[in-house]
Amino acid sequence: MPTVAFVNPKGGAGKTTAALLLALGLAEQGQRVAMIDSDPNKPLVHWAGLPGRPDKISVHPAPMTQDIRDALREAQRKQPDWLILDTEGSIRGAMNFTTMRLDLVLTPLASSAIEALQAIKAAEMVAQFGKRGGAPLLHRCLLTRVPAALRPRSLKQVVEQLRESDIGILPTALIEKEAFRMLFSVGGSFDQLERHGVSGVPAARANAQGFLAAVLELLAQAKTQAA
Ligand SMILES: Nc1ncnc2c1ncn2[C@@H]1O[C@H](COP(=O)(O)OP(=O)(O)OP(=O)(O)O)[C@@H](O)[C@H]1O
Ligand SMILES: [Mg+2]
């Protein structure tokens, strides 16, 4: 069961949005996905309570560190094909899953120099966890909230900043999309957004599919290398 964690101690970096997009893409491919919502604000639990949640996706709350074990047990009962862990935007949140076997850690960040510095710190922290766990963790930064129309100069600079620190970047970025935000107020998946007349859904869906494809390819590569 592949396990993917979204980690960035910086609040509002785009973790929960990216976690849901990954889950929706996998569910569309017929995969059963269990999500652990370890944010005390429970954004994914809230999403799951709105109408239209695909039945392939289950959400398990762990608002406190001590709830994680129960949430994982509850998730396992669903016999998921994938486990997705959304963490709170704090150091505590980022550290919550350090003892688990993780196949991939993603650090979403927007294209600004300040966010890049924070993502570099997050990457260093993940590398430390890997060392302590005895095996390096597969980690990538995920650029998100990228303006759709033009690729700003700041984006290029951030990519250079991360590369200089030897930090891997997922080749597909997530675009700044109203449809991604609307998922959390309308609920459900892109189909549900379309039924509600939300604009820009096809482009948002295509972007999310590209993100999923990049994750799947990365995991497939990692598997080949490990074999
Ligand atoms: N690609 C995107 N397009 C449009 N809005 C986005 C995108 N990614 C994130 N947002 C918006 O940015 C805000 C923060 O995103 P999100 O909640 O996913 O971040 P987070 O890292 O999970 O935050 P926290 O650290 O508080 O858990 C939200 O209002 C969300 O709707
Ligand atoms: Mg969040």
Side-chain angles (χ1 to χ4, degrees), residues 38-75:
S38 70
D39 183 333
N41 293 317
K42 302 191 203 167
L44 289 169
V45 173
H46 173 77
W47 167 82
L50 294 168
R53 171 181 58 84
D55 56 13
K56 297 267 177 204
I57 302 179
S58 60
V59 176
H60 308 275
M64 312 277 272
T65 304
Q66 56 267 35
D67 300 322
I68 288 174
R69 200 201 288 236
D70 283 348
L72 285 170
R73 206 174 298 132
E74 199 191 287

Side-chain angles (χ1 to χ4, degrees), residues 8-18 21 39 41 43 86-90 108 144-146 174-178 180-181 184 207:
N8 188 342
K10 180 181 181 300
K15 297 176 286 293
T16 303
T17 304
L21 295 179
D39 183 333
N41 293 317
D86 181 30
T87 66
E88 183 198 352
S90 66
T144 185
R145 310 195 65 165
V146 173
L174 287 172
I175 297 165
E176 171 86 31
K177 279 275 169 201
E178 168 75 356
F180 295 155
R181 275 193 289 271
F184 290 89
N207 184 215

Side-chain angles (χ1 to χ4, degrees), residues 4-199:
V4 182
F6 288 82
V7 172
N8 188 342
K10 180 181 181 300
K15 297 176 286 293
T16 303
T17 304
L20 180 59
L21 295 179
L22 184 64
L24 288 174
L26 288 165
E28 207 168 46
Q29 294 193 351
Q31 304 277 307
R32 281 190 308 269
V33 186
M35 305 188 81
I36 306 288
D37 182 353
S38 70
D39 183 333
N41 293 317
K42 302 191 203 167
L44 289 169
V45 173
H46 173 77
W47 167 82
L50 294 168
R53 171 181 58 84
D55 56 13
K56 297 267 177 204
I57 302 179
S58 60
V59 176
H60 308 275
M64 312 277 272
T65 304
Q66 56 267 35
D67 300 322
I68 288 174
R69 200 201 288 236
D70 283 348
L72 285 170
R73 206 174 298 132
E74 199 191 287
Q76 299 283 3
R77 254 186 244 132
K78 297 276 177 185
Q79 298 186 306
D81 303 302
W82 288 72
L83 189 58
I84 294 179
L85 315 171
D86 181 30
T87 66
E88 183 198 352
S90 66
I91 294 284
R92 181 201 75 90
M95 288 178 65
N96 263 339
F97 295 97
T98 50
T99 55
M100 275 183 67
R101 186 194 57 78
L102 302 173
D103 296 284
L104 173 62
V105 181
L106 289 173
T107 297
L109 75 147
S111 45
S112 87
I114 296 170
E115 293 232 5
L117 287 175
Q118 283 157 330
I120 290 167
K121 266 203 188 149
E124 284 166 356
M125 193 173 72
V126 171
Q128 288 282 332
F129 297 158
K131 266 191 202 143
R132 262 184 255 155
L137 285 169
L138 180 59
H139 175 265
R140 289 290 183 275
C141 281
L142 164 66
L143 286 156
T144 185
R145 310 195 65 165
V146 173
L150 70 159
R151 298 278 140 151
R153 228 173 105 189
S154 56
L155 179 65
K156 211 172 142 213
Q157 284 170 350
V158 163
V159 169
E160 279 165 17
Q161 212 176 333
L162 294 173
R163 289 218 174 110
E164 272 166 26
S165 300
D166 242 352
I167 287 164
I169 309 168
L170 202 71
T172 303
L174 287 172
I175 297 165
E176 171 86 31
K177 279 275 169 201
E178 168 75 356
F180 295 155
R181 275 193 289 271
M182 289 301 285
L183 281 171
F184 290 89
S185 49
V186 172
S189 64
F190 291 116
D191 289 342
Q192 174 98 342
L193 293 189
E194 255 167 356
R195 281 196 290 276
H196 276 75
V198 174
S199 63

